[in-house]
Amino acid sequence: MDVLPTAPEPLGIEAGALDRWFGEHVAGAVPPLRYDRVTGGHSCLTYLVGDAGHQRYVLRRPPVGALLATAHDVTREARILAALAGSGVPVPRVLGVCDDPEVTGAPFYVMAYVDGLVLRTAADSEALLPSPQARRRAGYALVDTLAALHAVDVDMVGLGALSRRDGFLDRQLRRWSAQWAACELGDMGGMAALHDWLVAHRPAESTARLVHGDFRLGNALLGPDGDVLALLDWELCTLGDPLADVAYLLRTWSTPDARASQERLPSALPGFPTTDELAARYARQSGRSIAELDYWMAFTAWRAAAILAGVYRRYLDGKMGTPPDDLPTFATEVEARVRQGVSFTRRA
């Protein structure tokens, strides 16, 4: 886990008020606390928190500033994590939730720190998971975890009312179209045409299951043998079509970012299963048909373009702290994701 050294006033953190809140609500926490920003993500603000007793926690809160409607609902994310505890899906334990924005400017939650490996680049894979056998195990363990997530009985874990059980795809198309429009970035190489194709070629609706929404290797904490210790970043979790998760995993597995600063994908090294092997494994483990996968690959690329556009806009508007040096190339990447989506429409 990469962290940035704590600034005197970390972005979105009121240290004094948070120290008091921890002391009152997180059992065993010993203020004063240290807040180190976790890097590697561009959505919610995540901090590694250390206390005077050398214990570690993780705090999640929304970006600073005005947000799009329904975005970055961290208390909802905490509710999902708490519901999945003991379900067979590995998640961190929720230690406390605060919905009072007076404490640090926005709602937030605190979860237990899980000491695992995060693979975001090929260099990470080479250094942290050097064994090809462990890499292969990691790929299959990730898919097996996804199949386990899609097998969860949402009513049994108390998530049956997380969202509507019908109309998932139509809601997704509306939501990300609205985000795209709010970003005011233009058409970016055919975003509107790709959206129109997705609307016109909607597949038959499947039984809604719990879907993660951002299921990829970089959102998993791994053990040194490749086992999945915990899944992170449940902000986009909802009830919907499981193939949306499968397609997202496969696209992030095989399609590098277009930004020049991005290194090779972590799954590029020998040992990791291919996308075809992952898809076949998922079909076997879940018992689910993957016949409509190309449609969902096109949808996932379109959605990824809309999500990155939102990140780009938040950086442009100063809502995510210091922007990365390669910020101008975010626009190039958005266009690349649109082209990826178009390529899958031709296959479908």
Side-chain angles (χ1 to χ4, degrees):
M1 181 179 291
D2 303 324
V3 297
L4 296 172
T6 302
E9 294 183 357
L11 183 68
I13 296 294
E14 295 287 343
L18 272 173
D19 280 12
R20 291 189 294 274
W21 185 90
F22 262 83
E24 295 170 1
H25 295 90
V26 178
V30 184
L33 307 176
R34 175 182 174 86
Y35 302 89
D36 291 316
R37 173 90 176 271
V38 177
T39 64
H42 301 290
S43 183
C44 288
L45 298 174
T46 304
Y47 285 91
L48 178 61
V49 183
D51 75 357
H54 306 290
Q55 298 184 88
R56 289 185 286 184
Y57 313 90
V58 176
L59 181 149
R60 291 261 290 171
R61 61 145 290 162
V64 298
L67 302 174
L68 297 173
T70 75
H72 314 293
D73 187 346
V74 294
T75 58
R76 178 180 182 273
E77 184 176 63
R79 188 168 73 253
I80 293 166
L81 290 175
L84 287 174
S87 70
V89 178
V91 293
R93 185 163 55 97
V94 175
L95 303 177
V97 181
C98 178
D99 58 8
D100 181 2
E102 294 300 316
V103 177
T104 192
F108 64 92
Y109 75 92
V110 176
M111 56 185 162
Y113 172 77
V114 177
D115 189 7
L117 309 175
V118 180
L119 307 184
R120 295 195 181 98
T121 67
D124 292 337
S125 295
E126 190 169 28
L128 302 175
L129 209 63
S131 163
Q133 292 78 18
R135 294 173 194 156
R136 193 162 190 82
R137 182 182 179 94
Y140 286 143
L142 197 61
V143 168
D144 293 352
T145 301
L146 184 58
L149 171 64
H150 294 160
V152 168
D153 185 321
V154 294
D155 294 311
M156 288 290 292
V157 300
L159 292 175
L162 186 66
S163 72
R164 285 175 47 193
R165 302 194 192 200
D166 61 346
F168 165 74
L169 181 55
D170 287 341
R171 291 197 307 277
Q172 289 286 301
L173 290 169
R174 287 195 300 270
R175 173 180 181 176
W176 298 111
S177 292
Q179 166 140 322
W180 180 266
C183 293
E184 299 181 335
L185 295 175
D187 192 49
M188 303 288 280
M191 190 71 167
L194 179 54
H195 170 265
D196 291 345
W197 184 93
L198 291 169
V199 170
H201 294 82
R202 295 190 300 275
E205 191 165 41
S206 68
T207 301
R209 309 301 298 181
L210 197 63
V211 295
H212 182 277
D214 194 8
F215 194 92
R216 54 189 170 87
L217 188 57
N219 274 336
L221 291 170
L222 304 178
D225 59 355
D227 277 348
V228 177
L229 303 180
L231 292 176
L232 307 175
D233 201 352
W234 292 81
E235 179 185 338
L236 300 177
C237 181
T238 189
L239 302 181
D241 194 307
L243 287 186
D245 270 347
V246 180
Y248 185 78
L249 171 62
L250 298 185
R251 198 194 73 82
T252 60
W253 198 265
S254 61
T255 307
D257 283 350
R259 304 198 301 278
S261 68
Q262 297 299 298
E263 300 183 42
R264 287 187 304 155
L265 292 169
S267 50
L269 294 186
F272 284 109
T274 65
T275 53
D276 287 344
E277 289 173 326
L278 293 179
R281 175 85 170 206
Y282 177 82
R284 287 196 304 273
Q285 294 296 103
S286 67
R288 187 170 284 112
S289 170
I290 57 173
E292 300 285 356
L293 191 54
D294 280 337
Y295 175 91
W296 287 101
M297 294 293 288
F299 164 81
T300 296
W302 171 82
R303 172 178 171 269
I307 290 172
L308 185 63
V311 174
Y312 182 43
R313 171 53 64 189
R314 289 196 297 276
Y315 273 124
L316 290 175
D317 293 344
K319 297 176 182 176
M320 286 293 291
T322 304
D325 293 337
D326 66 340
L327 182 61
T329 63
F330 274 54
T332 303
E333 161 110 9
V334 171
E335 292 178 348
R337 294 183 182 192
V338 175
R339 290 194 297 271
Q340 292 159 12
V342 171
S343 72
F344 283 110
T345 68
R346 293 168 182 151
R347 283 179 30 172

